[in-house]
Amino acid sequence: MRLLALDDPASCPALVERFSRDPDAQVRARAASDPRLPPDSAVRLAADSDHGVQYSAWRSPALPPEVLTTLLLDEDSAEAAAQNPSIPVTAMHRMIGLAVGCP
């Protein structure tokens, strides 16, 4: 039921925040991917003890740019963080250039 509550567009950010602290990792992971998640909660979930929760948080557009940059530079989180839709366009161009061997 908690997972379904997060699918309700009428659910408020306070509910998402509450579920980001849920004992069930699936609920925390779903909260981590919710666009209503506050940035400080996204940062906390990015360091969660459950890898699935971390993975969801690494892709969260709520992550502050400085945290996202750190995740992009870490080989353990870079692939998931590269899927984050809030990566600045200039950073995307730089990543593409590095991937194809162009500065």
Side-chain angles (χ1 to χ4, degrees):
M1 292 301 283
R2 295 185 312 277
L3 288 172
L4 291 174
L6 289 169
D7 289 335
D8 184 351
S11 292
C12 63
L15 180 71
V16 178
E17 165 58 26
R18 189 171 94 208
F19 286 160
S20 76
R21 298 177 184 281
D22 197 271
D24 187 312
Q26 284 184 319
V27 175
R28 290 194 315 277
R30 176 60 186 81
S33 67
D34 194 293
R36 297 165 290 193
L37 184 70
D40 58 329
S41 296
V43 172
R44 179 176 40 78
L45 292 173
D48 194 271
S49 61
D50 183 271
H51 186 69
V53 174
Q54 288 178 348
Y55 185 82
S56 291
W58 294 342
R59 296 177 296 151
S60 172
L63 279 176
E66 62 276 5
V67 174
L68 182 55
T69 300
T70 301
L71 293 169
L72 288 166
L73 295 172
D74 184 320
E75 70 179 53
D76 292 331
S77 57
E79 186 175 341
Q83 297 173 44
N84 191 309
S86 66
I87 297 173
V89 173
T90 54
M92 287 186 213
H93 286 288
R94 176 84 171 120
M95 290 166 49
I96 292 168
L98 290 171
V100 297
C102 301

